[in-house]
Amino acid sequence: MAQHFSLASCDVVGFDLDHTLCRYNLPESAPLIYNSFAEFLVKEKGYDKELLTVTPEDWDFCCKGLALDLEDGSFIKLADNGTVLRASCGTKMMTPEALAEEHGKKEWKHFMSDTGMACRSGKYYFYDNYFDLPGALLCARVVDSLTKKSGQKTFDFWKDIVAAIQHNYKMSAFKENCGIYFPEIKRDPGKYLNRCPESVKKWLQQLKKAGKVLLLITSSHSDYCRLLCGYILGNDFPDIFDIVITNALKPGFFSHLPNQRPFRTLENDEEQEALPSLDKPGWYSQGNAVHLYELLKKMTGKPEPKVVYFGDSMHSDIFPARHYRNWETVLILEELRGDRDWKPEESEPVEKRGKYEDPKAKPLNTLSKKWGSFFIDSVSGLENTEDSLIHTWSCKRVSTYSTIAIPSIEAIAELPLDHKFTRFSANNSKTAGYYPHPPLVLLNDAKLKTK
């Protein structure tokens, strides 16, 4: 494999929407997502009202890369070799002694080889994107509440979490103004969404002028997609993309066969009949990567057009696009911003907030004091020496399945299309694929190992 990657060599450039092209104001969107689930649990399922009260300190629990054991309510942070680096029962962190007794140095009970390990299962759930993370905090607090009330050791609350998700995000919710999430986004999109900077809009136009086929592939439904794109890009956004695919139901879009997941046309944002194939550019729903690739061959006139796909979710975007389709993949990893851009003193003191203003969530891309770095951690009980530091499972997946990782599209928008990025590969250093620079913890680790 070539050492470098360039957009100029790609025929097709595809994008996820949420947290990729569309960046959210995380301190505002996180409480909204949390509340949309919590209110459903309290009002419809009879959970404790204390779930509705969240302090700014509570948000420190949120960290991408955690797994929830759906049976015992524990959260775990995995090392790249499958051992457990940190764990909690609900929000209560396990002590090093309890961790050693519970997990020792053996692989986590659900761990399998990397490609064989699903991120969603009936036994566990991995949190790998910013729509998920508020749910991690809620689930942890549910475990706290149930443990405190009845001393439960096993749990079956997950079915109620799924019901809360279905209530707020079902296909008809946007149109029906159902739940809390969509009505609030519609009421005040500027509070939750960041418009694309001019540099990104010009970059998209530059890709079009260079003859690239532009795709938008999102699991959001078409009506929500229209709202987001209209706000962040402007009402002429349909002119930017050759093909828009909504309700893509990723990762199945990449892994399923055409007869399992056919494309469907849309009429007034309602799905119509299934299509036997994809014959022309346009706006579609559901679908599969096999039929899409056949259309891309026609559009580019090439037997094997080269596709690059930008996304923020390892589970839904990056892993399946690389593993099933061998596409180039660009991971949007806001944690690359978090350890440099945000300082605790930037958050407004409580006494300066308005009387009725809710406490703000800590930006979810910043370092968690409870869980430590997304990228690296120390083996419990050992000092931070060369031998004690270990890469996380999440960090390993970044370098295994991403071509490159960037904090945002804006970070590369002003580069020439033929800019040569150093890709992740076994031949390069573990920090090579991060642009514009690796996370500080990995740089420090690399320095430690060269001493």
Side-chain angles (χ1 to χ4, degrees):
M1 184 182 286
Q3 183 179 4
H4 295 101
F5 161 75
S6 169
L7 286 169
S9 66
C10 298
D11 306 295
V12 182
V13 184
F15 301 94
D16 174 45
L17 179 56
D18 296 287
H19 302 288
T20 300
L21 266 180
C22 177
R23 283 183 52 208
Y24 286 73
N25 179 6
L26 296 178
E28 295 288 356
S29 63
L32 175 61
I33 294 168
Y34 179 96
N35 291 335
S36 70
F37 298 154
E39 290 211 13
F40 180 85
L41 292 186
V42 171
K43 292 178 179 177
E44 303 297 328
K45 300 293 181 178
Y47 282 75
D48 199 301
K49 289 181 180 178
E50 68 184 16
L51 293 177
L52 300 175
T53 304
V54 187
T55 69
E57 293 73 30
D58 289 333
W59 291 101
D60 183 63
F61 185 83
C62 294
C63 176
K64 273 205 299 201
L66 301 183
L68 165 61
D69 187 310
L70 298 179
E71 184 182 30
D72 67 16
S74 64
F75 285 80
I76 61 105
K77 179 184 181 183
L78 280 176
D80 59 4
N81 61 7
T83 56
V84 178
L85 289 167
R86 305 191 191 200
S88 73
C89 183
T91 63
K92 187 179 179 183
M93 301 301 295
M94 282 190 187
T95 64
E97 295 75 23
L99 189 68
E101 184 179 339
E102 178 77 21
H103 297 286
K105 294 184 178 180
K106 60 184 184 291
E107 285 185 354
W108 182 46
K109 61 185 177 182
H110 298 305
F111 189 78
M112 294 182 282
S113 66
D114 197 40
T115 54
M117 188 171 177
C119 281
R120 307 287 188 263
S121 124
K123 296 179 179 178
Y124 58 85
Y125 189 94
F126 270 99
Y127 290 89
D128 90 327
N129 65 72
Y130 294 130
F131 271 148
D132 274 353
L133 278 190
L137 174 59
L138 177 61
C139 287
R141 298 187 73 219
V142 165
V143 171
D144 290 348
S145 175
L146 295 175
T147 303
K148 183 171 140 186
K149 270 188 170 181
S150 55
Q152 282 182 232
K153 301 290 186 186
T154 58
F155 302 90
D156 63 352
F157 61 82
W158 188 249
K159 65 182 186 303
D160 297 327
I161 297 291
V162 172
I165 294 170
Q166 170 64 13
H167 174 69
N168 279 281
Y169 295 105
K170 62 186 177 183
M171 187 182 288
S172 60
F174 186 94
K175 186 174 288 187
E176 295 172 358
N177 243 25
C178 171
I180 290 174
Y181 182 81
F182 288 129
E184 180 61 19
I185 294 282
K186 284 196 271 188
R187 186 188 69 80
D188 190 2
K191 181 177 179 180
Y192 303 101
L193 311 175
N194 296 319
R195 294 186 193 273
C196 280
E198 284 303 313
S199 61
V200 172
K201 294 180 187 177
K202 288 177 181 176
W203 179 75
L204 291 170
Q205 296 294 347
Q206 188 183 3
L207 289 168
K208 287 278 284 187
K209 287 176 184 174
K212 313 297 181 189
V213 175
L214 264 57
L215 311 174
L216 185 63
I217 309 174
T218 175
S219 291
S220 288
H221 300 302
S222 57
D223 42 16
Y224 186 52
C225 175
R226 287 181 200 280
L227 181 147
L228 295 185
C229 289
Y231 184 82
I232 67 168
L233 292 168
N235 292 330
D236 60 347
F237 77 88
D239 298 335
I240 297 173
F241 302 104
D242 298 283
I243 301 170
V244 175
I245 301 165
T246 56
N247 194 27
L249 302 171
K250 297 177 291 183
F253 178 87
F254 297 104
S255 61
H256 282 30
L257 297 173
N259 62 345
Q260 296 173 296
R261 189 72 61 72
F263 279 97
R264 295 180 179 275
T265 55
L266 285 160
E267 193 173 305
N268 297 324
D269 294 318
E270 299 284 347
E271 291 184 348
Q272 305 300 308
E273 74 279 0
L275 300 174
S277 62
L278 199 61
D279 298 324
K280 61 184 179 180
W283 191 304
Y284 300 95
S285 189
Q286 297 195 39
N288 61 87
V290 175
H291 277 168
L292 172 63
Y293 198 66
E294 290 302 313
L295 176 58
L296 296 176
K297 290 179 185 178
K298 293 180 190 175
M299 293 176 69
T300 60
K302 295 185 177 182
E304 293 185 357
K306 186 174 180 180
V307 184
V308 59
Y309 187 64
F310 289 70
D312 70 297
S313 170
M314 181 58 64
H315 166 68
S316 298
D317 301 316
I318 303 303
F319 170 77
R322 170 61 60 82
H323 181 67
Y324 296 108
R325 297 300 145 203
N326 201 31
W327 289 1
E328 300 279 14
T329 52
V330 179
L331 175 64
I332 305 298
L333 190 60
E334 288 203 33
E335 281 70 16
L336 292 175
R337 295 166 50 88
D339 70 343
R340 295 169 186 267
D341 285 3
W342 185 81
K343 298 180 179 61
E345 59 267 25
E346 289 178 9
S347 59
E348 199 174 11
V350 174
E351 60 271 16
K352 288 190 177 181
R353 284 200 298 262
K355 184 176 178 182
Y356 301 105
E357 192 173 343
D358 289 335
K360 295 290 187 292
K362 167 185 80 80
L364 299 187
N365 58 11
T366 54
L367 187 70
S368 164
K369 293 175 185 174
K370 283 193 172 184
W371 293 105
S373 169
F374 171 85
F375 302 96
I376 204 167
D377 212 334
S378 56
V379 177
S380 180
L382 296 177
E383 292 182 9
N384 283 3
T385 64
E386 179 182 336
D387 294 330
S388 75
L389 291 172
I390 188 167
H391 286 81
T392 63
W393 182 71
S394 298
C395 183
K396 180 184 177 183
R397 285 170 69 83
V398 170
S399 59
T400 302
Y401 298 109
S402 312
T403 302
I404 60 171
I406 60 177
S408 65
I409 290 175
E410 189 178 357
I412 66 169
E414 295 185 1
L415 297 174
L417 295 186
D418 60 359
H419 179 87
K420 288 182 167 57
F421 297 93
T422 303
R423 66 167 69 236
F424 288 113
S425 78
N427 301 325
N428 295 329
S429 75
K430 289 187 177 180
T431 60
Y434 295 101
Y435 182 90
H437 36 238
L440 290 172
V441 287
L442 289 187
L443 275 180
N444 294 337
D445 178 51
K447 288 175 186 174
L448 192 67
K449 285 179 165 50
T450 56
K451 283 183 180 179

